Amino acid sequence: MAAAAAAPMPVAGAGWWDLVNGSTAWQDGIFLSLAALYGLIAASSFIQVVRIQYRVPEYGWTTQKVFQLLNFIVNGARCSIFAFRRQVHQVNPEIFRHVILDIPGLAFFTTYAMLALFWAEISYQARGLETEGLRSGFYTINGVIYAIQVLLWVLLWHNPNPSMIVLSKLFIAGLSFSAALGFLLYGGRLFFMLKRFPIESKGRQKKLREVGRVATICFFCFLARCIMMCFDAFDKKADLDVLDHPILNFIYYLTVEIIPSSLVLFILRRIPSKLRLAQYHPLNSG
């Protein structure tokens, strides 16, 4: 007699995605894990600020120190938001919830745009060009960006419809794409400039690797952020601002902020050497 057909095996782990997303315990665990990771990065940045200040207090607020301070602020804000995610989700009116969730992303853009500005200034100085326009342009661009975001918040407040939320997310996606191009342009320009530099030295090789690695990490970080924000804008099932998508939140923030920030801060962990007062000479703006 012919053997009976084997019954289909049950799919292992079927429905685990919905199970995790719908579980309050899993939601709290994932959000607290994100808060802990952001807290570690914030603490690391704060320690770096203290170390730089202790090592070379005569330098004042250098780009390196401001970059570390902004990282501390951004990651500290993310840590607080995820630690109190349920309270944030209950904030009323709803527009305040959007403001709380959007501000760290804008500050993240400003923080890493400052790094691209620093590289641009090095490239301009090496070619004997004026750098004052770069810094003023940086402030102007950031001012315009924050003004546009405030306008979007006001429009969303007066007309809270899905299309305005999509527009706000596409605005962040556009910023991320612009940042990716900035790192590709100025990071690549500085990398090839250092590569053509005639003097071979250990410091030059370290700087070459540092710029190449950081530029690559930041380029792919902001490109991934752009793609994911576009996906979030047009797919209602992938809303990153709600409580019942903890897995998507974990993947998104781990990919576009936590891992890139950790790698960049590790690569840029070196602090200036301590100078004797007799050896210290202040530099002019050039």
Side-chain angles (χ1 to χ4, degrees):
M1 186 172 64
M9 296 293 292
V11 179
W16 68 271
W17 181 278
D18 294 330
L19 179 65
V20 171
N21 283 334
S23 169
T24 302
W26 273 102
Q27 290 174 10
D28 292 342
I30 290 176
F31 290 136
L32 287 176
S33 297
L34 286 171
L37 291 172
Y38 276 113
L40 287 174
I41 300 174
S44 174
S45 296
F46 182 76
I47 291 171
Q48 284 293 83
V49 172
V50 174
R51 289 181 65 206
I52 297 170
Q53 178 62 27
Y54 178 77
R55 181 68 65 86
V56 282
E58 62 273 12
Y59 276 2
W61 283 98
T62 61
T63 301
Q64 183 185 21
K65 192 187 297 185
V66 174
F67 176 73
Q68 293 287 355
L69 179 63
L70 288 176
N71 268 289
F72 165 69
I73 294 172
V74 171
N75 288 284
R78 287 288 193 204
C79 174
S80 301
I81 288 172
F82 282 113
F84 301 99
R85 181 73 177 192
R86 294 194 178 279
Q87 290 81 351
V88 170
H89 195 68
Q90 295 171 358
V91 169
N92 283 308
E94 187 178 354
I95 185 60
F96 292 148
R97 189 191 317 163
H98 289 288
V99 173
I100 293 171
L101 295 173
D102 289 343
I103 282 180
L106 291 173
F108 184 85
F109 168 82
T110 299
T111 301
Y112 284 85
M114 177 174 289
L115 188 58
L117 169 68
F118 179 61
W119 290 347
E121 287 180 334
I122 294 175
S123 300
Y124 273 55
Q125 289 174 358
R127 292 181 293 167
L129 301 176
E130 293 291 336
T131 61
E132 293 180 1
L134 287 174
R135 191 162 289 269
S136 60
F138 171 80
Y139 294 136
T140 302
I141 291 173
N142 274 270
V144 171
I145 288 170
Y146 282 86
I148 293 174
Q149 183 62 72
V150 170
L151 177 61
L152 289 174
W153 286 332
V154 172
L155 293 175
L156 184 60
W157 186 15
H158 287 285
N159 187 19
N161 59 64
S163 61
M164 290 304 304
I165 297 177
V166 169
L167 183 61
S168 180
K169 292 179 178 179
L170 289 179
F171 176 67
I172 299 297
L175 284 184
S176 301
F177 185 71
S178 300
L181 291 181
F183 278 103
L184 184 65
L185 174 63
Y186 293 111
R189 180 180 293 176
L190 181 59
F191 178 83
F192 287 110
M193 185 191 76
L194 290 171
K195 197 172 184 179
R196 292 194 302 267
F197 201 73
I199 300 176
E200 289 292 337
S201 66
K202 186 178 180 180
R204 171 186 172 275
Q205 292 299 325
K206 285 184 178 179
K207 193 66 178 177
L208 190 65
R209 290 194 298 269
E210 175 186 296
V211 172
R213 290 170 181 172
V214 172
T216 302
I217 291 168
C218 291
F219 170 75
F220 284 107
C221 158
F222 281 101
L223 187 61
R225 191 187 192 93
C226 173
I227 294 172
M228 290 185 180
M229 287 304 297
C230 290
F231 180 71
D232 182 27
F234 293 109
D235 190 343
K236 294 181 179 179
K237 296 181 180 180
D239 191 353
L240 294 167
D241 295 336
V242 298
L243 280 172
D244 56 354
H245 288 164
I247 302 176
L248 285 178
N249 275 268
F250 189 80
I251 294 172
Y252 174 77
Y253 288 104
L254 193 71
T255 303
V256 304
E257 287 189 4
I258 294 173
I259 292 178
S261 294
S262 302
L263 292 174
V264 169
L265 292 175
F266 177 77
I267 294 170
L268 302 179
R269 67 190 182 279
R270 290 186 302 163
I271 62 176
S273 301
K274 191 172 182 61
L275 298 176
R276 297 177 181 176
L277 291 179
Q279 296 174 329
Y280 174 70
H281 300 282
L283 300 177
N284 57 27
S285 61

